[in-house]
């Protein structure tokens, strides 16, 4: 049995999950998220808990049991508290500017990088060197943060580029002249 799949999901106050057929939607103070359930997985809402169960012991059902439980738990947490990722820009002349859903990065390329942030995710730039990505959907927030980082990942010689806050960049020694 899946240890993660068997754990019940506690529902905080202000969050209302609803199951209709093979889809589940969770509504909370920060928004609403929906998910289609695969065949063989069922959700039961009782009291202040959600339980995920599987109908049979096939290999596919076993592998999806814990996954669906984690996805629903992330949905509950997202509509209640939200998710955020912080990035920092390091380098001389490197900066980030956010206006609405548009993020402009000046990171040493021939022209600034303009990134249009997808719906459901908000981006803010603090002081030109810190980028805060936040939203209700954990997957979208992670994808947007990874996409922003991919424009100029931190390089190993001087450490210049975009990195997650707290990320350690392994530094290399430069060439030595004989």
């Amino acid at each position: 049995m899946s240890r993660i799949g068997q754990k019940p999901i506690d529902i905080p106050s202000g969050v209302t999950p609803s199951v209709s057929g093979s889809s589940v939607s969770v509504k909370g103070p920060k928004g609403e998220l929906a998910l289609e359930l695969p065949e063989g997985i069922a959700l039961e809402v009782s009291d202040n808990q959600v339980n995920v169960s599987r109908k049979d012991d096939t290999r596919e059902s076993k592998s999806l049991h814990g996954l669906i439980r984690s996805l629903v738990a992330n949905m509950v947490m997202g509509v209640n508290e939200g998710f955020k990722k912080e990035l920092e820009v390091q380098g001389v002349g490197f900066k980030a500017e956010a206006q609405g859903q548009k993020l402009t990065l000046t990171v040493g390329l021939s022209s600034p990088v303009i990134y249009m942030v997808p719906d459901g995710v908000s981006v803010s730039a603090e002081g030109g060197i810190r980028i805060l990505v936040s939203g209700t959907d954990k997957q979208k927030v992670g994808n947007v943060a990874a996409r922003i980082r991919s424009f100029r990942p931190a390089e190993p010689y001087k450490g210049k580029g975009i990195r997650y806050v707290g990320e350690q960049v392994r530094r290399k020694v430069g060439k030595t002249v004989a």
Side-chain angles (χ1 to χ4, degrees):
M1 294 298 279
S2 171
R3 290 182 186 177
I4 293 173
Q6 286 182 334
K7 291 171 65 175
I9 303 164
D10 294 324
I11 302 169
S13 61
V15 176
T16 56
S18 61
V19 180
S20 61
S22 67
S23 65
V24 61
S25 65
V26 181
K27 195 178 290 187
K30 297 233 180 205
E32 182 176 358
L33 293 173
L35 175 71
E36 279 294 318
L37 296 173
E39 259 185 57
I41 303 293
L43 248 69
E44 297 126 21
V45 180
S46 60
D47 298 332
N48 286 337
Q49 290 186 335
V50 175
N51 292 314
V52 180
S53 61
R54 60 179 189 252
K55 294 183 172 110
D56 54 13
D57 283 341
T58 62
R59 185 180 180 127
E60 185 178 358
S61 293
K62 285 181 179 180
S63 67
L64 290 173
H65 190 195
L67 171 71
I68 296 300
R69 189 259 177 214
S70 294
L71 292 177
V72 173
N74 286 340
M75 289 168 57
V76 169
M77 188 176 165
V79 297
N80 190 33
E81 300 166 17
F83 294 100
K84 66 178 183 175
K85 292 260 187 186
E86 290 184 58
L87 298 133
E88 59 186 0
V89 181
Q90 288 188 350
V92 176
F94 286 18
K95 65 180 179 175
E97 297 172 11
Q99 299 110 7
Q101 292 294 92
K102 184 169 88 171
L103 179 70
T104 306
L105 299 168
T106 306
V107 287
L109 301 174
S110 61
S111 59
V113 176
I114 298 172
Y115 178 64
M116 297 304 292
V117 180
D119 293 335
V121 178
S122 64
V123 173
S124 63
E126 301 165 4
I129 58 167
R130 256 180 132 72
I131 304 168
L132 179 68
V133 181
S134 60
T136 56
D137 191 351
K138 188 175 187 177
Q139 184 178 357
K140 273 189 182 179
V141 169
N143 282 342
V144 169
R147 179 78 174 128
I148 291 170
R149 183 182 178 277
S150 74
F151 291 125
R152 188 69 166 215
E155 51 95 15
Y157 295 103
K158 292 185 179 178
K160 294 174 15 176
I162 302 171
R163 65 177 85 180
Y164 296 110
V165 170
E167 178 183 357
Q168 298 292 322
V169 176
R170 182 173 283 175
R171 302 292 293 272
K172 290 183 179 178
V173 178
K175 290 183 180 178
T176 56
V177 179

